[in-house]
Amino acid sequence: MNEHDKTRPASSAQLAVFGGEPRFEEVKHVGRPNIGDREAFLARMRGVLDSMWLTNDGPLVREFEARIADTLGVRNCITMCNGTVALEIAIRALGLQGEVIVPAFTFVATAHALQWQEITPVFCDVDPTTHVIDPGRIERHITPRTTGILGVHIWGFPCDTAALEVIAERNDLRLLFDAAHAFGCLHRGTPIGNFGDAAVLSFHATKFLNAFEGGAVVTNDDALAERIKLMRNFGFVDFDQVTYLGTNGKMAEPAAAMGLTNLDALDEFVEHNRQVFDRYRRVLEGLPGVRLVEPASLNGWNYQYVVLDVNAEAAGLTRDELVAVLWAENVRARRYFYPGVHRMEPYRSVYPHSHLLLPETERLVRRTMVLPTGTSVSVEDADVIGGILAQALDGAGEVRRALERREVHT
Ligand code: T4K
């Protein structure tokens, strides 16, 4: 009996799309939080309550910032209430205005953080292999209004930072990275967070390292870090003195307590993710039209996203059909980042033709899906999920007809 035989339903007729019972009683999600030692978290929270210091640059926030900076080997870490506000503040502190070049194959927050400040996101296509912004296509988008490049280390896959730094330098542009997915990832041996002018992290519940909600800007530029600190706290330098336009981007102590607790468990999280990924890789190997997308180097990756590329012609089923098969089994695979930010409002109405310059993005948003991983997904779950996919591909024609009958929508 090989790996596939052990894990798939005995026949495709048992798949839930044909009326069988879902393979999972409890729904399997993409993005269930990784949670460290509960007792350690509760002890920290008791300390917070006892001290009555709940927010505003509290001791746990400071400790969290020092630990993040130390982990990444970066001079400054300024935590925030979430990754989106961290992006907004970093963009403003860098003096970005006019137009900024950014990929459309990303979570919508990347572009919104610009548009929110009336800066135009100019969408640039991505590399079909690495899924990150294609440096070869950036310069054609530069106009006299361009002030920066905002690269996204999507899935924790590093951007081509060297090429982007050259382009930024040559054109006198600022270079910011959205590293929401990339905490704990290395690029050529250097922790992500050390490239460009600054990088933004997210500690949202669904991220590799979560603080319930949270984010941070990390930078080796001390002057920039000072500006960001002021902007995060309304521009206050002292009790009654405001020297800068600011907002409220502060992280509160409970978030830092969660962040610190999860930092302590980081090695366990990455090891768990790695084992789940390895099992997916084994089960999916050789299946027609389905490929696990990997970074150029697995060394120094956090394995937080299990990304599949579906070639519908070779698979006999489309990405959407495979997602529907999984949802019927209570596996909430996601179509990240469908339909592409350029096809979301307000960008779709303002730039109705932007897709013409984004052929690779258009292709990826139709082919890419993300499978559950993280500490709430076991290696055995990965076996079962891979087995469901194998079974569906085995009976592709019947599965398609069953889906048409069920009119399953995802
Ligand atoms: N840049 C990039 C590249 C990003 O991906 C993100 C966020 C940002 C910037 C902005 O950072 P933040 O401002 O969020 O810090 C989720 C997250 O809400 C979002 O943080 C994340 N990217 C994005 C990739 O995914 P949704 O709407 O797709 O997922 P959501 O919130 O429905 O959660 C997914 C699943 O996770 C749920 O179905 C169940 C599970 N879940 C979720 C939460 C919140 C839990 O089990 N427990 C939970 O507490 O956006």
Side-chain angles (χ1 to χ4, degrees):
M1 190 183 262
N2 69 27
E3 199 68 53
H4 291 173
D5 296 332
K6 268 190 294 176
T7 57
R8 6 173 144 155
S11 92
S12 67
Q14 288 177 5
L15 286 171
V17 287
F18 296 113
E21 283 297 305
R23 293 301 300 281
F24 290 96
E25 234 172 90
E26 195 187 320
V27 173
K28 292 288 164 191
H29 291 280
V30 171
R32 291 297 262 177
N34 296 326
I35 300 175
D37 185 334
R38 280 160 194 250
E39 288 313 313
F41 169 70
L42 293 172
R44 285 190 171 101
M45 282 306 297
R46 276 191 288 276
V48 171
L49 296 176
D50 289 347
S51 74
M52 306 256 273
W53 197 275
L54 306 186
T55 184
N56 286 23
D57 213 12
L60 293 186
V61 161
R62 285 179 175 229
E63 187 185 344
F64 188 45
E65 290 178 338
R67 291 269 309 272
I68 299 280
D70 189 49
T71 306
L72 301 185
V74 70
R75 287 177 63 84
N76 305 280
C77 169
I78 308 104
T79 54
M80 303 278 175
C81 52
N82 61 55
T84 305
V85 168
L87 272 171
E88 288 167 7
I89 292 180
I91 286 164
R92 192 177 274 264
L94 279 167
L96 298 182
Q97 41 189 303
E99 295 173 0
V100 170
I101 298 169
V102 64
F105 190 60
T106 180
F107 187 62
V108 70
T110 317
H112 276 359
L114 293 162
Q115 189 69 47
W116 191 253
Q117 314 189 63
E118 299 189 356
I119 300 166
T120 303
V122 174
F123 297 119
C124 177
D125 214 359
V126 291
D127 181 294
T129 312
T130 60
H131 293 193
V132 296
I133 195 164
D134 181 350
R137 296 174 189 250
I138 287 179
E139 281 180 307
R140 71 188 67 168
H141 293 291
I142 295 177
T143 74
R145 297 187 71 229
T146 311
T147 56
I149 301 168
L150 174 44
V152 182
H153 302 297
I154 201 163
W155 322 129
F157 296 179
C159 291
D160 185 346
T161 54
L164 296 180
E165 278 165 2
V166 169
I167 295 168
E169 173 110 353
R170 187 160 57 216
N171 296 281
D172 196 19
L173 304 176
R174 308 310 299 263
L175 179 57
L176 176 63
F177 288 104
D178 178 339
H181 298 181
F183 182 74
C185 296
L186 302 177
H187 178 39
R188 299 186 198 282
T190 300
I192 282 181
N194 287 279
F195 301 100
D197 292 299
V200 169
L201 306 169
S202 166
F203 306 124
H204 182 257
T206 55
K207 295 298 186 293
F208 176 55
L209 174 68
N210 94 79
F212 299 118
E213 287 269 7
V217 184
V218 288
T219 177
N220 288 314
D221 179 337
D222 294 346
L224 177 66
E226 270 318 300
R227 277 203 300 283
I228 289 172
K229 262 185 217 159
L230 290 174
M231 286 182 167
R232 171 183 71 172
N233 188 28
F234 314 101
F236 273 110
V237 283
D238 205 345
F239 280 113
D240 310 312
Q241 257 194 69
V242 170
T243 58
Y244 233 87
L245 175 65
T247 183
N248 183 354
K250 290 174 273 123
M251 175 178 273
E253 290 290 275
M258 185 65 151
L260 283 165
T261 304
N262 291 331
L263 255 184
D264 291 336
L266 221 55
D267 291 346
E268 291 156 42
F269 295 161
V270 78
E271 179 53 21
H272 180 89
N273 278 355
R274 193 188 60 72
Q275 288 182 19
V276 170
F277 181 85
D278 281 352
R279 184 54 62 95
Y280 271 127
R281 183 149 67 170
R282 260 167 59 193
V283 184
L284 298 175
E285 199 174 0
L287 294 185
V290 166
R291 184 176 59 83
L292 263 188
V293 186
E294 303 184 10
S297 166
L298 288 171
N299 186 22
W301 186 36
N302 62 19
Y303 294 86
Q304 181 65 7
Y305 289 94
V306 174
V307 183
L308 275 193
D309 177 82
V310 181
N311 173 344
E313 223 167 90
L317 290 171
T318 64
R319 182 276 312 269
D320 288 358
E321 287 169 330
L322 286 175
V323 168
V325 166
L326 290 174
W327 277 55
E329 307 288 351
N330 279 337
V331 179
R332 299 281 187 266
R334 295 294 296 267
R335 301 187 299 178
Y336 288 149
F337 284 102
Y338 179 83
V341 176
H342 62 298
R343 289 191 179 273
M344 295 175 167
E345 294 296 355
Y347 317 106
R348 187 175 60 172
S349 297
V350 182
Y351 314 108
H353 304 299
S354 55
H355 62 279
L356 297 173
L357 287 175
L358 303 169
E360 298 301 344
T361 301
E362 287 278 300
R363 208 170 135 269
L364 287 180
V365 297
R366 286 195 301 272
R367 296 168 61 110
T368 309
M369 62 192 269
V370 175
L371 298 177
T373 188
T375 50
S376 67
V377 175
S378 67
V379 167
E380 292 71 32
D381 293 338
D383 254 347
V384 175
I385 294 168
I388 293 166
L389 289 172
Q391 190 63 45
L393 295 171
D394 265 0
E398 295 151 47
V399 167
R400 177 164 287 170
R401 283 189 289 280
L403 286 171
E404 281 164 4
R405 280 197 300 277
R406 283 167 54 107
E407 291 183 341
V408 173
H409 297 293
T410 55

